[in-house]
Amino acid sequence: MARMDESLVAWLDEHADSLDADTLHADALPARLARAGLFAVAVPEGEGGDGRALSAAVDVVAGLAEHSLGAAFVYWAQRAVIACLLASPNRDLVRRLVPDLVHGRLAGAPGLSNAMKFLGGLDRLRITGTAVPDGMRLNGTVAWATNVRRQGFVAAIAVGDEHGDNPAVLALPHDVRGVVREPDLDLLALRGTNTAAVRLDDVTLDASWQIHPQARVFLPSIRPVFVGLQCGLGLGLARASLRAGRAALGNRPSALSGEIDALNADIAAYRQTLCAGLDDGTLRDRPRELLTLRLRMVDIAAAALALELQVLGGRALLRAESGGYARRAREAAFLAVVTPTVGQLKGDLARLA
């Protein structure tokens, strides 16, 4: 696992509570991540990256989540859009957008939660497109998108036909007429992530913005990257929680020490299984195994938080003595509801069975 840039770590530790509670440092965060070269991790060298395996990006997500889940989630959002574009047959679009995304000059927002639910039979498509002479006219809403910076973003979206079916995946630039970035969502946590709804009012896009014509084919093919990188969120949070619990124990003998050691070993084994499956491609062909790992990530983080709480006892409820427990508890709750949610995962696993 690569060592995280020390100046970035110091900045994250200083501003972690702010990134969770307010928007003060939301716009500065992506620039910090870009300056550390993180968006280039596991991107092919020919596309401006470092050429490493995907597991290196999982380690980046986990490393960031040890200090701020908000920072890790923004990184995931940017890296997910890069992954979308790298898998696109529209090479002109790749050449146009990927360099700016890799260098952090443009923000990437994955607005595909609705599409994932649609493909699972849980929702209808919220954006529809109608053919017009100069392209396609789009109307609808992305209810939840992260990393929609006001200075400029491109969102990956799924668009259905006039009947709300046959979806395609498009790149939506922020500066096209009819694109409205709504105010930040009033979140209980991760408020410094530029998370908001995006409304499309008679937006016209031509074919040059198409990522893929068939979302039903494309989205399952990139799911291992999306879901695999998300697993790093819980990995990092669990490590941070166990580290805090160990520090709170100090040198005092405790029956909880053995439980912390055992969960640390489980986390290491989990990471090894996840990274090996992503790098050798086996998880691409085993969706049930991939989704099981994603579901287990939530359980691992929850177990680590429970151990930290047991160690802290009443100190967990004291602002001056909780050591960041309250923020980590909110972050752990977020892991259960980010798409794919725990409910979606259980439903998908039942169907696969």
Side-chain angles (χ1 to χ4, degrees), residues 127-190:
I127 302 175
T128 57
T130 305
V132 293
D134 48 352
M136 183 177 287
R137 183 173 296 141
L138 313 177
N139 284 278
T141 302
V142 179
W144 179 303
T146 291
N147 205 27
V148 282
R149 278 188 292 169
R150 290 176 176 83
Q151 299 95 321
F153 65 86
V154 61
I157 62 172
V159 177
D161 58 24
E162 61 269 27
H163 306 294
D165 204 350
N166 303 313
V169 181
L170 307 181
L172 175 72
H174 75 284
D175 53 356
V176 173
R177 178 178 295 182
V179 175
V180 179
R181 190 244 197 236
E182 302 284 9
D184 285 7
L185 294 174
D186 190 14
L187 301 176
L188 292 176
L190 282 77

Side-chain angles (χ1 to χ4, degrees), residues 239-278:
R239 288 175 186 155
S241 197
L242 292 183
R243 186 170 62 243
R246 177 71 72 191
L249 276 178
N251 295 319
R252 293 182 289 113
S254 171
L256 295 174
S257 292
E259 293 186 45
I260 291 174
D261 290 342
L263 188 51
N264 264 322
D266 286 346
I267 289 170
Y270 174 94
R271 177 202 168 272
Q272 178 61 32
T273 299
L274 171 69
C275 291
L278 290 174

Side-chain angles (χ1 to χ4, degrees), residues 28-108:
L29 172 60
R32 286 275 180 172
L33 301 178
R35 198 176 309 155
L38 298 185
F39 297 135
V41 173
V43 172
E45 292 180 355
E47 304 292 352
D50 64 11
R52 284 191 282 170
L54 186 60
S55 58
V58 173
D59 287 335
V60 170
V61 176
L64 291 170
E66 287 190 49
H67 304 279
S68 164
L69 195 76
F73 195 53
V74 167
Y75 173 79
W76 172 83
Q78 184 89 352
R79 192 59 185 76
V81 173
I82 291 172
C84 262
L85 288 164
L86 291 176
S88 172
N90 186 350
R91 304 318 294 173
D92 287 340
L93 185 64
V94 174
R95 287 188 286 270
R96 185 158 28 118
L97 296 181
V98 167
D100 284 344
L101 289 165
V102 166
H103 291 97
R105 296 186 291 264
L106 180 66

Side-chain angles (χ1 to χ4, degrees), residues 310-328:
Q310 290 172 48
V311 172
L312 289 173
R315 288 175 291 173
L317 302 181
L318 299 173
R319 290 182 186 272
E321 297 185 36
S322 68
Y325 170 80
R327 171 173 55 81
R328 285 189 288 277

